[in-house]
Amino acid sequence: MEMPAIGGARGGARGAAAGGVPSSQSGSSMLRAAGLPVEQQAVHLYFLQEMQYLEVTLPDVAPEGEAPGDEAPPMRTVKLGQLKLYEVVKYFIAPLTAAGTKAADCSLVSALASGGASLPEGCDWLSGDGRFTDDRIATGQSGRPVFGAATFFVTHAWSYRFKDLVSLISQHYAMLPAESGWLDVYYWVDAFALPQGIELSPADLTKSLTTVIQSSRSVLFTIHPLLRPSTPKRLWCLYEALLAHTLPGAHLEMLVDDSGSADAQKGKEPARSFAGAYVELLGRFEEKVIKPLDMCAASASLGADKQAILTAVGQMGTNDSANTTLRLLLASLMSDALLRHALKNGDAEAVSVLIERGTQLHGASVHLAAIKRGGNETVEVLAEALARNALVTSVHVVRSGVRAGGALALGAALAKHPALNELDLTDNDIGPDGILALVSGLSRCAPLRRLVLWGTNCGDEGAAALGKALSGGAPWKDLDIGYNPSIGPSGFSSLASGVAASRALSSLSLARCGACVRTGLEGDGGGALGRAVAAAAALTTLDLSGCGLTAEHLGALAAGLLGGRGVGAAPVALSSLTLDENELTGADAGSHLAALLKGCPRLETLHVNGNAELGGKSAMAALAGALGAAPELRMLGLSGTGLTPDGAKALSSALPSARRLTHLDVGENYELGDAGVAPILAALKGHKSLARLNLSSTGISAASQAGLLTLLASAVPSLPALGGARGGVKARGSSSSSGVGAGGLPGAALMELVVVGNPDLPDKVDEEIAAWKTRLWVASAGLR
């Protein structure tokens, strides 16, 4: 963080001459009055990406050498992304949260989330309750929170152009492991998270920064531009790096801008190595950035800040020792950043050169995705780096062309690794021979707990090797071998034996392994999969999505899982069963699901989403008959099941008896309509445990408005307006005529109501949900 004196949280807000607002409250109490705790005021990348395209009008600058005239300066309209961050604060954030506005003394996040401020017209992507709207349904963002608790703290300079900061964060986000386009990851950026119209003392600001840094997964120390970066010359930025290095539980990463780098992997010409360029770059970085680094010479916008920081650093030790620590730390992190860059680009020669120079991987994880060329050779060299590294705990190499050779190298390198607990090789055509070689090493890796081999062409031989390793005591708790359709009967037999024998395995995914799963549920071996799961002492989570299972298969699963259990036998351990996107239909499927609910007393999660013909009256009546006998059931997923109004009515009759139910998903049932949703809403009124209800794309209209508002009214008590004595931000819709929050039932637990994808629902409902979310948000922050 580096802020010039422009009237924001640091700097010019200190006096009336600088445009500041005198405060009678301390900085920390002001932060609390402004809204959520400061560590919860982070933003999603997609919010930043949208913000950079917003436009603002500001005075035009006279050409260099031309004196400004007496007349008012001409105005120009520019996108926020083109402005430097301090200009974004000055011309956009500060006016929205200035004295006299409803959002006075709030951070931008607090102002937007509470309804105290709104973005310009045309920003249809942000709802009144701080979520992405229906406009984002195609990208999977619809209904997702825009703001959240800090995952990463971003150290940056306010001299960055806003679009460059967004580019840096985008590059970081793209490197995170993800199963979809959305990640629940939020970046703490001071310009958005701190009030820009009040004074914060260095002590208050340091306390806030310390809180955020310790609550974040990591601090991202940005380097931009590469050989003339601003952050190593700014005292606040260096201090944040030092805090991240010294605070218990805090971590520091370097985020280097490589958006403009040449990517030799994209062209048709033979790939060439940039090993020499990497070495030269390290030398220049050492000369231009590391050697001149000096906290005493670093700049701060205010002398009081500089004095306070240097005093604090002196209490940790000497300034000279702090300089030495930072020089060593940043030099090492730059080497790590270049090594990861070479790995990402598949430059095996450069990786080898950097490793020979002593470069070590920092941080707990390595994530590589979509290496265009040389992925297998690069992974072979990565294995060398991992063999020399005792700290990495998580390795993800996804869609990167890893073959048997790379798998062999990884298996050998990781066999005795002292820390690795997760390995993900999703979507690499490793093949049976490669899986054999990999498993041979990994079965001896004592710390390994999660192994993901989704889409690796495992084959029968690979499945047999996995089964043998499980039988032999492999310590894996989570095994995902989904989307391996090449596993057949012989592979299933060995795998099932291993699953049954394992005393460690707690989660197994066979999603989209149709041939393998159906083999275990058909013919003479019908029920073999269920028996294996029942025998696995620790297995609690099973995913059989997309396996083409019918009601008959489900019956075989239930019979194998529950059959032959005598009096006094331990209950089935299964707590989560996912059967999404199969072919379950009719009363028989409903009866078998009911049998599983009754026979698995520990079952907490049952997902049957995407079984498009399961939602009729007979199936739902059978399922409803078992809800009261499922004492631990918390999550029930019925999205996209063709749920009919009669089916919903049958299901609703049992919802009050599901006393621990926290999540109910009936979304994407387009024919449900008002007639089907009405009994669900009536049954859930005042439910003591339900936290999330999904009614997205259910065809509801104005006829459901009263039921929805009644449900909301039962979920949160009446709360005062936000803003304390200043009265700055009033919850939208919080008047007595709102219909939301008056006479709330104190035991109700509802936290999220999703109604996106219902175009016939009146705007009034969206407004009331936004007001309700605001009041809930205020209550969660303790601002009563």
Side-chain angles (χ1 to χ4, degrees):
M1 179 182 70
E2 174 263 321
M3 295 178 266
I6 62 166
R10 293 291 336 117
R14 289 183 174 274
V21 180
S23 170
S24 60
Q25 295 177 267
S26 70
S28 58
S29 64
M30 278 296 225
L31 281 176
R32 187 147 183 83
L36 287 174
V38 67
E39 67 273 16
Q40 295 186 28
Q41 300 199 46
V43 297
H44 200 273
L45 166 67
Y46 297 149
F47 169 80
L48 296 173
Q49 289 178 336
E50 287 293 341
M51 289 290 291
Q52 68 180 329
Y53 296 113
L54 296 186
E55 293 184 338
V56 65
T57 301
L58 66 160
D60 204 355
V61 179
E64 187 175 350
E66 180 178 319
D70 294 333
E71 67 278 0
M75 306 299 286
R76 61 190 173 105
T77 300
V78 297
K79 288 183 170 58
L80 291 184
Q82 297 293 331
L83 299 179
K84 295 186 177 180
L85 200 58
Y86 71 83
E87 294 174 312
V88 173
V89 172
K90 181 176 181 179
Y91 295 112
F92 183 80
I93 297 176
L96 283 177
T97 57
T101 67
K102 290 197 300 182
D105 298 343
C106 286
S107 69
L108 183 65
V109 169
S110 178
L112 293 175
S114 67
S118 58
L119 295 179
E121 290 186 13
C123 296
D124 298 332
W125 49 271
L126 179 63
S127 70
D129 63 340
R131 293 175 181 272
F132 289 105
T133 61
D134 286 1
D135 291 354
R136 297 311 180 86
I137 238 171
T139 61
Q141 299 172 26
S142 177
R144 303 279 194 171
V146 174
F147 315 115
T151 315
F152 296 100
F153 179 107
V154 184
T155 291
H156 61 284
W158 276 29
S159 58
Y160 289 175
R161 280 193 305 176
F162 183 36
K163 72 173 186 178
D164 292 332
L165 177 62
V166 175
S167 174
L168 282 162
I169 295 174
S170 298
Q171 292 168 50
H172 181 265
Y173 188 89
M175 291 301 296
L176 297 174
E179 296 180 359
S180 64
W182 175 272
L183 281 170
D184 287 321
V185 167
Y186 295 88
Y187 294 87
W188 196 90
V189 179
D190 54 13
F192 301 100
L194 292 176
Q196 299 303 324
I198 63 174
E199 176 183 349
L200 292 177
S201 70
D204 280 330
L205 187 53
T206 297
K207 182 177 180 180
S208 296
L209 298 181
T210 299
T211 299
V212 180
I213 287 172
Q214 287 193 294
S215 66
S216 301
R217 184 186 305 174
S218 187
V219 171
L220 305 179
F221 191 91
T222 59
I223 294 292
H224 175 79
L226 188 56
L227 290 176
R228 293 181 292 105
S230 304
T231 45
K233 300 176 182 179
R234 301 297 303 182
L235 188 55
W236 273 112
C237 298
L238 293 176
Y239 186 47
E240 289 163 7
L242 198 60
L243 287 174
H245 180 63
T246 57
L247 287 172
H251 300 281
L252 182 66
E253 299 178 37
M254 182 173 284
L255 183 54
V256 178
D257 186 9
D258 68 347
S259 59
S261 63
D263 187 359
Q265 313 304 320
K266 293 181 180 179
K268 295 183 179 180
E269 71 280 359
R272 62 189 181 93
S273 175
F274 288 86
Y278 285 122
V279 173
E280 180 183 354
L281 184 58
L282 280 175
R284 294 175 64 189
F285 188 78
E286 176 75 22
E287 289 296 323
K288 292 180 174 292
V289 179
I290 298 302
K291 287 184 178 179
L293 188 150
D294 184 353
M295 294 194 77
C296 292
S299 58
S301 298
L302 296 177
D305 285 4
K306 183 166 186 175
Q307 184 59 46
I309 293 173
L310 292 179
T311 299
V313 171
Q315 293 171 351
M316 299 180 187
T318 65
N319 286 323
D320 285 344
S321 65
N323 287 336
T324 299
T325 297
L326 286 171
R327 288 172 189 146
L328 292 173
L329 184 62
L330 296 185
S332 183
L333 288 173
M334 175 54 78
S335 296
D336 166 82
L338 294 182
L339 177 58
R340 290 173 184 270
H341 187 270
L343 286 166
K344 181 182 74 172
N345 286 335
D347 193 339
E349 180 182 339
V351 173
S352 293
V353 168
L354 290 170
I355 290 174
E356 289 171 4
R357 288 174 54 88
T359 299
Q360 290 281 339
L361 287 166
H362 284 260
S365 65
V366 175
H367 178 73
L368 305 175
I371 298 177
K372 299 295 190 301
R373 292 180 182 172
N376 194 63
E377 294 75 11
T378 300
V379 168
E380 290 177 355
V381 183
L382 170 63
E384 296 180 28
L386 292 173
R388 305 179 187 184
N389 185 296
L391 300 176
V392 170
T393 62
S394 175
V395 174
H396 296 252
V397 184
V398 178
R399 298 185 304 279
S400 293
V402 181
R403 301 291 186 265
L408 173 63
L410 280 175
L414 299 175
K416 296 183 179 180
H417 198 282
L420 187 77
N421 60 43
E422 179 180 20
L423 177 63
D424 183 349
L425 296 173
T426 293
D427 285 340
N428 289 287
D429 190 11
I430 293 174
D433 291 341
I435 298 295
L436 279 167
L438 179 70
V439 170
S440 176
L442 295 183
S443 60
R444 292 173 284 148
C445 182
L448 187 64
R449 295 295 180 267
R450 183 168 191 261
L451 178 59
V452 180
L453 297 174
W454 174 282
T456 52
N457 188 21
C458 191
D460 284 336
E461 296 87 347
L466 289 166
K468 182 178 179 181
L470 288 170
S471 296
W476 313 327
K477 290 182 176 293
D478 184 347
L479 177 61
D480 183 347
I481 51 174
Y483 197 55
N484 275 287
S486 58
I487 301 176
S490 64
F492 167 78
S493 178
S494 298
L495 183 63
S497 297
V499 169
S502 175
R503 292 298 175 262
L505 192 66
S506 63
S507 177
L508 174 65
S509 174
L510 294 170
R512 289 171 172 73
C513 293
C516 170
V517 172
R518 292 193 299 272
T519 293
L521 298 173
E522 293 176 344
D524 294 338
L529 177 58
R531 290 192 294 272
V533 172
L539 190 63
T540 60
T541 301
L542 180 64
D543 187 349
L544 301 178
S545 300
C547 290
L549 302 184
T550 64
E552 185 177 356
H553 291 122
L554 188 58
L557 176 67
L561 191 60
L562 307 176
R565 304 187 70 80
V567 176
V572 177
L574 203 64
S575 65
S576 177
L577 177 61
T578 300
L579 297 165
D580 293 344
E581 298 177 8
N582 281 293
E583 298 171 14
L584 305 178
T585 62
D588 287 346
S591 297
H592 297 319
L593 289 172
L596 286 167
L597 280 173
K598 293 176 180 178
C600 300
R602 298 178 181 175
L603 197 67
E604 297 180 5
T605 300
L606 176 62
H607 285 156
V608 290
N609 305 298
N611 287 276
E613 299 180 18
L614 182 63
K617 180 179 179 180
S618 59
M620 289 299 103
L623 181 63
L627 289 184
E632 299 298 327
L633 187 67
R634 287 165 168 76
M635 304 180 72
L636 180 59
L638 297 168
S639 173
T641 53
L643 189 61
T644 65
D646 286 341
K649 186 176 181 180
L651 176 70
S652 300
S653 65
L655 289 177
S657 66
R659 296 179 179 177
R660 293 197 175 186
L661 190 68
T662 61
H663 290 64
L664 176 61
D665 186 353
V666 295
E668 312 303 315
N669 286 299
Y670 305 100
E671 302 303 320
L672 192 57
D674 299 307
V677 168
I680 294 176
L681 294 175
L684 293 175
K685 180 182 177 182
H687 197 288
K688 303 300 183 184
S689 63
L690 190 75
R692 186 181 193 274
L693 175 61
N694 181 15
L695 298 173
S696 63
S697 301
T698 49
I700 51 179
S701 66
S704 294
Q705 176 173 323
L708 289 167
L709 298 186
T710 299
L711 180 66
L712 293 181
S714 73
V716 64
S718 181
L719 296 171
L722 175 63
R726 293 175 174 265
V729 180
K730 192 172 184 178
R732 191 171 66 177
S734 61
S735 65
S736 58
S737 62
S738 163
V740 178
L745 301 179
L750 191 66
M751 300 290 289
E752 186 173 3
L753 175 62
V754 182
V755 295
V756 298
N758 291 295
D760 295 331
L761 202 60
D763 292 341
K764 173 71 172 176
V765 175
D766 288 332
E767 293 169 3
E768 294 291 4
I769 290 177
W772 170 73
K773 287 296 295 183
T774 295
R775 301 171 75 79
L776 200 63
W777 171 76
V778 173
S780 69
L783 303 176
R784 293 176 175 266

